[in-house]
Amino acid sequence: MNTMQHPRAPGASGDTVLELEHVGIAFGGLRVLIDLSFTVRCGEVAGLIGPNGAGKSTCFNVVTSVYRPNEGRVRLEGQDIVRLQPHEVCRRGIARTFQLVRTFQRMTALQNAMVGAVYGKRGGTGRPEARALDALALVGLADQRDREVAHMTLSDRRMLEIARALATAPRLLLLDEPMAGLNESEIEAMTAVIRRIRDELGISVLWVEHKVDAIMAVCDQVIVLHHGEKIAQGTPAQVVTDRNVIEAYLGEPTPA
Protein backbone atom coordinates (compact mmCIF):
# COMPACT_ATOMS: atom_id res chain seq x y z
CA MET A 1 0.00 0.00 0.00
CA ASN A 2 1.27 3.45 -0.88
CA THR A 3 2.09 5.51 2.18
CA MET A 4 3.18 8.68 0.45
CA GLN A 5 2.61 11.66 2.71
CA HIS A 6 2.22 15.11 1.26
CA PRO A 7 2.03 18.42 3.10
CA ARG A 8 -1.33 19.92 2.19
CA ALA A 9 -1.52 23.50 1.06
CA PRO A 10 -2.47 25.81 3.91
CA GLY A 11 -5.73 26.88 2.29
CA ALA A 12 -8.90 24.87 2.13
CA SER A 13 -10.02 23.17 -1.05
CA GLY A 14 -11.12 25.91 -3.47
CA ASP A 15 -8.47 28.44 -2.40
CA THR A 16 -6.12 29.65 -5.12
CA VAL A 17 -2.76 27.90 -5.49
CA LEU A 18 -1.66 29.48 -8.81
CA GLU A 19 -2.64 32.83 -10.28
CA LEU A 20 -1.57 34.35 -13.59
CA GLU A 21 -2.52 38.00 -13.90
CA HIS A 22 -2.29 39.79 -17.28
CA VAL A 23 0.79 37.84 -18.34
CA GLY A 24 2.38 38.74 -21.64
CA ILE A 25 5.58 37.59 -23.32
CA ALA A 26 7.09 38.21 -26.74
CA PHE A 27 10.14 36.87 -28.57
CA GLY A 28 11.35 39.58 -30.87
CA GLY A 29 8.22 40.89 -32.54
CA LEU A 30 6.23 37.71 -31.95
CA ARG A 31 3.73 37.92 -29.09
CA VAL A 32 3.36 34.41 -27.69
CA LEU A 33 1.18 35.09 -24.63
CA ILE A 34 -1.19 38.04 -24.59
CA ASP A 35 -2.86 39.39 -21.42
CA LEU A 36 -3.25 35.88 -19.99
CA SER A 37 -5.09 35.55 -16.69
CA PHE A 38 -6.40 32.47 -14.91
CA THR A 39 -6.28 30.72 -11.55
CA VAL A 40 -5.85 27.11 -10.43
CA ARG A 41 -7.49 26.20 -7.13
CA CYS A 42 -6.15 23.93 -4.41
CA GLY A 43 -6.86 20.28 -5.05
CA GLU A 44 -8.16 20.60 -8.61
CA VAL A 45 -7.03 19.42 -12.03
CA ALA A 46 -7.08 22.22 -14.60
CA GLY A 47 -6.66 21.44 -18.29
CA LEU A 48 -4.80 23.79 -20.64
CA ILE A 49 -5.68 23.06 -24.26
CA GLY A 50 -5.44 24.65 -27.69
CA PRO A 51 -3.93 24.17 -31.16
CA ASN A 52 -0.20 23.74 -31.71
CA GLY A 53 1.49 27.09 -31.28
CA ALA A 54 -1.22 28.42 -28.96
CA GLY A 55 1.32 29.18 -26.21
CA LYS A 56 0.71 26.28 -23.82
CA SER A 57 4.33 25.21 -23.32
CA THR A 58 5.39 28.85 -23.13
CA CYS A 59 2.88 29.27 -20.32
CA PHE A 60 4.52 26.39 -18.47
CA ASN A 61 7.94 27.94 -19.00
CA VAL A 62 6.69 31.25 -17.58
CA VAL A 63 5.19 29.56 -14.51
CA THR A 64 8.45 27.69 -13.84
CA SER A 65 10.63 30.79 -14.50
CA VAL A 66 12.38 29.34 -17.54
CA TYR A 67 11.06 32.48 -19.25
CA ARG A 68 10.40 35.80 -17.54
CA PRO A 69 7.25 37.54 -18.81
CA ASN A 70 7.43 41.02 -20.26
CA GLU A 71 4.38 41.98 -18.25
CA GLY A 72 2.05 40.60 -15.64
CA ARG A 73 2.35 38.58 -12.45
CA VAL A 74 2.61 34.89 -11.54
CA ARG A 75 1.71 34.04 -7.94
CA LEU A 76 2.03 30.78 -6.01
CA GLU A 77 -0.24 30.82 -2.96
CA GLY A 78 -0.28 34.62 -3.13
CA GLN A 79 3.49 35.09 -3.45
CA ASP A 80 4.94 36.59 -6.63
CA ILE A 81 7.43 34.13 -8.16
CA VAL A 82 8.27 35.92 -11.42
CA ARG A 83 11.82 36.84 -10.41
CA LEU A 84 12.78 33.49 -8.91
CA GLN A 85 15.15 31.05 -10.60
CA PRO A 86 13.68 27.72 -11.84
CA HIS A 87 15.20 25.72 -8.96
CA GLU A 88 13.77 28.22 -6.49
CA VAL A 89 10.31 27.82 -8.04
CA CYS A 90 10.63 24.07 -7.59
CA ARG A 91 11.59 24.46 -3.95
CA ARG A 92 8.61 26.78 -3.43
CA GLY A 93 6.33 23.94 -4.56
CA ILE A 94 5.93 23.75 -8.36
CA ALA A 95 7.12 20.63 -10.21
CA ARG A 96 6.75 19.72 -13.87
CA THR A 97 7.15 17.08 -16.54
CA PHE A 98 8.16 17.67 -20.15
CA GLN A 99 6.61 16.99 -23.54
CA LEU A 100 9.82 15.19 -24.53
CA VAL A 101 10.73 12.90 -21.64
CA ARG A 102 13.78 14.09 -19.69
CA THR A 103 14.83 11.18 -17.52
CA PHE A 104 18.39 10.21 -16.63
CA GLN A 105 18.88 7.20 -18.88
CA ARG A 106 21.88 5.61 -17.13
CA MET A 107 20.40 5.86 -13.68
CA THR A 108 17.83 3.57 -12.09
CA ALA A 109 14.20 4.48 -11.56
CA LEU A 110 14.84 4.97 -7.84
CA GLN A 111 17.86 7.18 -8.49
CA ASN A 112 15.77 9.33 -10.85
CA ALA A 113 13.06 9.75 -8.22
CA MET A 114 15.72 10.50 -5.60
CA VAL A 115 16.85 13.50 -7.65
CA GLY A 116 13.44 15.04 -7.05
CA ALA A 117 13.36 14.06 -3.39
CA VAL A 118 16.81 15.51 -2.64
CA TYR A 119 16.72 18.70 -4.70
CA GLY A 120 13.01 19.53 -4.53
CA LYS A 121 10.89 21.36 -2.01
CA ARG A 122 12.43 21.85 1.39
CA GLY A 123 10.47 20.59 4.37
CA GLY A 124 9.09 17.42 2.76
CA THR A 125 8.20 14.80 5.33
CA GLY A 126 10.25 11.62 5.71
CA ARG A 127 13.62 10.55 4.35
CA PRO A 128 14.29 11.33 0.65
CA GLU A 129 14.58 7.63 -0.23
CA ALA A 130 11.23 6.89 1.41
CA ARG A 131 9.57 9.76 -0.48
CA ALA A 132 11.09 8.53 -3.74
CA LEU A 133 9.87 4.99 -3.12
CA ASP A 134 6.38 6.19 -2.26
CA ALA A 135 6.28 8.26 -5.46
CA LEU A 136 7.33 5.22 -7.52
CA ALA A 137 4.62 3.15 -5.84
CA LEU A 138 1.92 5.71 -6.59
CA VAL A 139 2.64 5.60 -10.33
CA GLY A 140 3.00 1.80 -10.38
CA LEU A 141 6.77 1.52 -10.70
CA ALA A 142 7.70 0.08 -7.31
CA ASP A 143 8.79 -3.20 -8.87
CA GLN A 144 11.11 -1.35 -11.28
CA ARG A 145 13.00 0.67 -8.67
CA ASP A 146 16.35 -0.90 -9.63
CA ARG A 147 15.77 -0.94 -13.40
CA GLU A 148 18.02 1.25 -15.54
CA VAL A 149 15.86 3.85 -17.25
CA ALA A 150 17.36 3.18 -20.69
CA HIS A 151 15.62 -0.21 -20.59
CA MET A 152 12.18 1.13 -19.64
CA THR A 153 9.26 1.68 -22.01
CA LEU A 154 8.10 5.16 -23.02
CA SER A 155 5.01 4.75 -20.84
CA ASP A 156 7.10 3.82 -17.81
CA ARG A 157 9.49 6.71 -18.41
CA ARG A 158 6.56 9.12 -18.54
CA MET A 159 5.32 7.67 -15.25
CA LEU A 160 8.84 8.00 -13.84
CA GLU A 161 8.93 11.70 -14.70
CA ILE A 162 5.73 12.13 -12.72
CA ALA A 163 7.20 10.16 -9.80
CA ARG A 164 10.31 12.34 -9.83
CA ALA A 165 8.12 15.45 -9.79
CA LEU A 166 5.98 14.09 -6.95
CA ALA A 167 9.10 13.32 -4.92
CA THR A 168 9.79 17.08 -4.77
CA ALA A 169 6.66 17.44 -2.57
CA PRO A 170 4.90 19.95 -4.84
CA ARG A 171 1.82 22.07 -4.19
CA LEU A 172 1.27 22.25 -7.96
CA LEU A 173 2.21 19.73 -10.66
CA LEU A 174 2.51 20.80 -14.31
CA LEU A 175 1.99 17.94 -16.79
CA ASP A 176 3.08 18.64 -20.37
CA GLU A 177 1.34 16.12 -22.66
CA PRO A 178 1.97 13.05 -20.48
CA MET A 179 -0.15 10.88 -22.82
CA ALA A 180 1.82 11.60 -26.00
CA GLY A 181 2.82 8.34 -27.70
CA LEU A 182 0.81 6.10 -25.36
CA ASN A 183 -1.66 3.40 -26.36
CA GLU A 184 -5.20 3.11 -25.01
CA SER A 185 -4.38 0.94 -21.99
CA GLU A 186 -1.43 3.18 -21.10
CA ILE A 187 -3.68 6.23 -21.39
CA GLU A 188 -6.14 4.64 -18.97
CA ALA A 189 -3.31 3.99 -16.50
CA MET A 190 -2.08 7.58 -16.83
CA THR A 191 -5.60 8.90 -16.29
CA ALA A 192 -5.90 6.86 -13.10
CA VAL A 193 -2.58 8.24 -11.80
CA ILE A 194 -3.64 11.85 -12.44
CA ARG A 195 -6.86 11.24 -10.53
CA ARG A 196 -4.90 9.71 -7.62
CA ILE A 197 -2.60 12.74 -7.49
CA ARG A 198 -5.63 14.97 -7.01
CA ASP A 199 -7.86 12.73 -4.90
CA GLU A 200 -5.31 11.02 -2.63
CA LEU A 201 -2.53 13.61 -2.36
CA GLY A 202 -4.56 16.79 -2.77
CA ILE A 203 -1.99 18.20 -5.23
CA SER A 204 -3.24 20.70 -7.78
CA VAL A 205 -2.50 19.85 -11.42
CA LEU A 206 -2.20 22.06 -14.50
CA TRP A 207 -2.30 19.71 -17.48
CA VAL A 208 -1.49 20.37 -21.14
CA GLU A 209 -2.90 17.65 -23.37
CA HIS A 210 -4.09 17.06 -26.93
CA LYS A 211 -6.22 14.06 -25.97
CA VAL A 212 -9.32 16.12 -25.36
CA ASP A 213 -11.47 13.19 -24.23
CA ALA A 214 -9.12 12.59 -21.29
CA ILE A 215 -9.10 16.27 -20.37
CA MET A 216 -12.89 16.45 -20.42
CA ALA A 217 -13.23 13.28 -18.33
CA VAL A 218 -10.83 14.28 -15.56
CA CYS A 219 -10.48 18.05 -15.29
CA ASP A 220 -12.41 20.30 -12.93
CA GLN A 221 -11.87 23.27 -15.22
CA VAL A 222 -10.44 23.82 -18.70
CA ILE A 223 -8.59 26.85 -20.08
CA VAL A 224 -8.36 27.22 -23.86
CA LEU A 225 -5.60 29.19 -25.63
CA HIS A 226 -5.48 30.31 -29.25
CA HIS A 227 -2.66 32.43 -30.69
CA GLY A 228 -1.49 33.22 -27.16
CA GLU A 229 -4.86 34.46 -25.90
CA LYS A 230 -7.39 32.82 -23.61
CA ILE A 231 -10.56 32.27 -25.61
CA ALA A 232 -12.50 30.23 -23.03
CA GLN A 233 -12.41 29.03 -19.44
CA GLY A 234 -14.94 26.95 -17.57
CA THR A 235 -16.08 23.46 -16.75
CA PRO A 236 -15.52 20.77 -19.40
CA ALA A 237 -19.23 20.86 -20.25
CA GLN A 238 -19.09 24.63 -20.80
CA VAL A 239 -15.89 24.59 -22.84
CA VAL A 240 -16.82 21.71 -25.14
CA THR A 241 -19.91 23.59 -26.34
CA ASP A 242 -18.25 27.02 -26.64
CA ARG A 243 -18.49 28.25 -30.24
CA ASN A 244 -15.05 29.93 -30.13
CA VAL A 245 -13.43 26.69 -28.94
CA ILE A 246 -15.20 24.60 -31.56
CA GLU A 247 -14.10 26.92 -34.35
CA ALA A 248 -10.49 27.33 -33.16
CA TYR A 249 -9.71 23.84 -31.92
CA LEU A 250 -12.31 21.12 -31.56
CA GLY A 251 -13.99 21.38 -34.95
CA GLU A 252 -17.60 20.55 -35.75
CA PRO A 253 -18.84 17.08 -34.76
CA THR A 254 -18.86 14.62 -37.65
CA PRO A 255 -22.42 13.92 -38.87
CA ALA A 256 -23.63 10.38 -38.21
Side-chain angles (χ1 to χ4, degrees):
M1 183 176 66
N2 185 275
T3 59
M4 188 172 188
Q5 298 295 315
H6 185 272
R8 299 281 177 150
S13 176
D15 289 350
T16 297
V17 62
L18 176 71
E19 180 182 12
L20 274 70
E21 181 180 12
H22 304 299
V23 167
I25 187 170
F27 301 104
L30 179 63
R31 299 178 72 193
V32 181
L33 293 177
I34 303 167
D35 195 30
L36 179 60
S37 298
F38 66 84
T39 61
V40 178
R41 295 181 294 275
C42 294
E44 79 167 356
V45 177
L48 186 62
I49 65 173
N52 289 329
K56 304 181 297 296
S57 291
T58 298
C59 178
F60 270 24
N61 285 331
V62 167
V63 171
T64 55
S65 284
V66 175
Y67 300 150
R68 183 170 294 177
N70 302 116
E71 56 197 22
R73 293 286 180 267
V74 180
R75 297 185 181 93
L76 175 66
E77 296 178 333
Q79 300 297 312
D80 196 325
I81 59 172
V82 163
R83 297 191 177 277
L84 298 181
Q85 294 299 313
H87 71 278
E88 295 173 319
V89 171
C90 179
R91 289 181 176 177
R92 290 286 183 95
I94 298 179
R96 70 172 295 180
T97 68
F98 296 88
Q99 186 176 348
L100 298 177
V101 181
R102 297 185 183 181
T103 46
F104 300 106
Q105 298 293 90
R106 296 301 174 187
M107 294 167 60
T108 66
L110 177 57
Q111 289 168 337
N112 269 263
M114 283 282 290
V115 170
V118 171
Y119 293 103
K121 190 175 186 299
R122 290 295 180 251
T125 59
R127 293 171 51 246
E129 184 175 358
R131 297 206 306 273
L133 287 170
D134 285 343
L136 291 175
L138 187 133
V139 303
L141 294 179
D143 61 345
Q144 297 198 54
R145 54 174 289 177
D146 297 320
R147 189 177 183 86
E148 190 175 272
V149 175
H151 302 300
M152 297 174 71
T153 66
L154 172 63
S155 174
D156 286 343
R157 284 186 282 121
R158 288 202 178 281
M159 288 293 195
L160 178 57
E161 261 207 329
I162 293 175
R164 186 175 62 194
L166 292 176
T168 70
R171 304 292 195 199
L172 173 69
L173 176 62
L174 309 185
L175 298 177
D176 196 351
E177 294 193 41
M179 296 181 175
L182 304 189
N183 62 34
E184 287 304 314
S185 64
E186 292 166 342
I187 287 171
E188 289 180 8
M190 182 66 73
T191 300
V193 164
I194 294 170
R195 284 194 170 110
R196 290 188 71 189
I197 290 168
R198 173 189 60 194
D199 299 341
E200 297 179 21
L201 302 182
I203 296 173
S204 303
V205 177
L206 181 59
W207 174 16
V208 166
E209 188 57 67
H210 281 295
K211 298 191 183 300
V212 176
D213 289 349
I215 287 283
M216 297 304 172
V218 176
C219 290
D220 302 291
Q221 69 156 322
V222 180
I223 302 127
V224 188
L225 300 185
H226 186 51
H227 296 313
E229 297 185 83
K230 184 178 73 176
I231 61 171
Q233 180 175 4
T235 66
Q238 291 168 335
V239 165
V240 79
T241 57
D242 187 288
R243 174 55 54 181
N244 290 331
V245 178
I246 292 170
E247 291 177 354
Y249 185 51
L250 298 180
E252 296 287 357
T254 303

